[in-house]
Amino acid sequence: MTTTATPAGTARYWQECTDRFAELFGRHLVHDAEQVPMTDAELREVIDACNRAVAPLGKEVSDRRWVSYMNVVRWSQSARHIKDMEAFKAVCVLNCVTFVWDDMDPALHDFDLFLPQVRAVCDRYYAKEDADFAYEGARAFITSDHMFRDSPVKRKLCGTSPEQYFRFRVTDIGVDFWMKMSYPIYRNRELTEHSKSGLAARMAARGLTIVNDFYSYDRENALGQITNCFHLCDVSDEADFRRFFAQRLDDLGEDMECIKAFDDLTRDVLLDLLHGNFVWTTQDRRYQSPVNDVNALIQ
């Protein structure tokens, strides 16, 4: 008799949980997220800029991997409200090169080589004040990642409770960086202030993390990484996992209800960020298997 093994980790729940995420978004969204169109020339410009930025690290990254990284920006920015495509390209480059940083072995990290490249990207695409905010967001994200990769503080915050975990992840998942590099795309006073103050990041962090953690659990588990909220439940126990997942859906729904109270543009940008991240995560090769050619550690 042939038996089929039950997938390990969260893979066994993939369709069920994807349907529940989709149903929740369907109840809360004003509009579905749309992918931002880019010409072949714009894609080439971004990829070439990414390659220049990581060249001092001695790493080669395939076009396929750059496109995978870039697609989260194309899905998660609010296509209906974009006013500055130069700033959009900046976010593509900054997002991609910090993905490389995140996917590298910590022993290979070198601030002195990398941060000047990040600063150069900011100066190339943004006005002076906006370049300063984007760079500081990137610097804080990179520095936090470098400090906390193997820190007892990280183990404590990630292993105590959802509240402590999500507090840590506001910076660690990069959403504060995202908002500080993204607000120039829209040239909107309210969103600019929400992004500079950190409020926009705090509103989006929990939902982004919940989606990311579900779909990246098996990869992170295979790599021995502890930054995942689903370590706070027993994913092998269906009842415990479903209880915990239902709580996280409630968290996401609560956050979207609050986001809908913001001005119309900030509302759309934040909801498109949450939904676009979900669409990208469920479609992109990065999440299709625990380890593959666009998500393996860069050696």
Side-chain angles (χ1 to χ4, degrees):
M1 181 177 66
T2 301
T3 59
T4 302
T6 301
T10 59
R12 75 189 74 182
Y13 308 111
W14 200 95
Q15 191 60 59
E16 170 190 345
C17 292
T18 298
D19 291 344
R20 294 184 69 186
F21 276 131
E23 190 275 331
L24 181 68
F25 280 117
R27 283 193 280 118
H28 287 280
L29 292 178
V30 180
H31 308 280
D32 286 342
E34 301 170 9
Q35 188 179 48
V36 178
M38 295 179 73
T39 66
D40 289 345
E42 288 169 333
L43 287 169
R44 190 72 255 165
E45 176 185 348
V46 169
I47 290 172
D48 289 347
C50 290
N51 283 323
R52 286 193 298 272
V54 301
L57 300 175
K59 302 300 167 190
E60 292 187 3
V61 179
S62 69
D63 285 3
R64 184 174 187 175
R65 191 168 186 136
W66 285 133
V67 170
S68 174
Y69 292 152
M70 199 187 312
N71 278 342
V72 70
V73 183
R74 296 182 67 188
W75 273 111
S76 300
Q77 297 292 358
S78 191
R80 293 178 304 281
H81 296 296
I82 290 178
K83 293 184 177 178
D84 189 333
M85 275 301 292
E86 289 299 294
F88 177 82
K89 287 186 286 187
V91 176
C92 287
V93 178
L94 292 171
N95 170 80
C96 287
V97 300
T98 50
F99 252 119
V100 168
W101 180 268
D102 196 47
D103 281 349
M104 281 172 52
D105 185 319
L108 303 176
H109 289 184
D110 189 330
F111 287 101
D112 294 335
L113 291 175
F114 189 59
L115 286 179
Q117 301 300 319
V118 173
R119 180 75 226 193
V121 172
C122 296
D123 291 340
R124 159 68 179 82
Y125 287 101
Y126 296 113
K128 176 65 169 65
E129 180 184 1
D130 298 333
D132 291 342
F133 269 94
Y135 176 71
E136 176 52 30
R139 188 208 61 79
F141 169 67
I142 294 163
T143 304
S144 175
D145 174 78
H146 188 73
M147 289 174 60
F148 289 115
R149 284 262 179 136
D150 299 306
S151 166
V153 176
K154 179 177 179 177
R155 287 192 291 274
K156 183 66 174 177
L157 293 174
C158 290
T160 298
S161 68
E163 291 73 22
Q164 300 301 331
Y165 176 80
F166 291 125
R167 187 173 288 125
F168 170 65
R169 289 287 263 165
V170 172
T171 300
D172 183 72
I173 202 172
V175 64
D176 186 61
F177 166 39
W178 177 282
M179 298 311 307
K180 287 176 178 173
M181 67 177 171
S182 294
Y183 72 79
I185 292 173
Y186 305 106
R187 300 178 187 169
N188 176 267
R189 183 181 64 84
E190 289 89 348
L191 177 66
T192 294
E193 293 308 317
H194 295 321
S195 300
K196 288 181 175 181
S197 73
L199 178 60
R202 292 192 295 276
M203 293 307 306
R206 189 164 58 168
L208 285 173
T209 305
I210 290 164
V211 171
N212 175 81
D213 284 2
F214 175 77
Y215 292 103
S216 63
Y217 178 89
D218 291 339
R219 172 181 179 263
E220 292 173 351
N221 204 40
L223 295 172
Q225 297 172 352
I226 65 169
T227 312
N228 195 295
C229 71
F230 290 98
H231 287 307
L232 293 168
C233 71
D234 182 356
V235 299
S236 66
D237 182 323
E238 292 189 9
D240 192 48
F241 171 81
R242 289 192 169 96
R243 172 198 60 79
F244 188 84
F245 184 80
Q247 291 172 343
R248 305 291 72 80
L249 281 184
D250 288 345
D251 290 341
L252 177 54
E254 178 183 69
D255 290 347
M256 287 193 286
E257 276 298 308
C258 291
I259 286 168
K260 287 190 285 187
F262 282 74
D263 61 277
D264 289 351
L265 188 137
T266 299
R267 175 203 65 199
D268 284 0
V269 168
L270 294 180
L271 290 178
D272 283 346
L273 171 57
L274 294 174
H275 186 235
N277 178 66
F278 168 70
V279 173
W280 172 71
T281 303
T282 53
Q283 293 184 1
D284 195 83
R285 179 168 169 75
R286 182 173 176 84
Y287 295 92
Q288 298 306 307
S289 57
V291 181
N292 59 46
D293 62 328
V294 299
N295 72 18
L297 285 179
I298 297 171
Q299 302 298 329

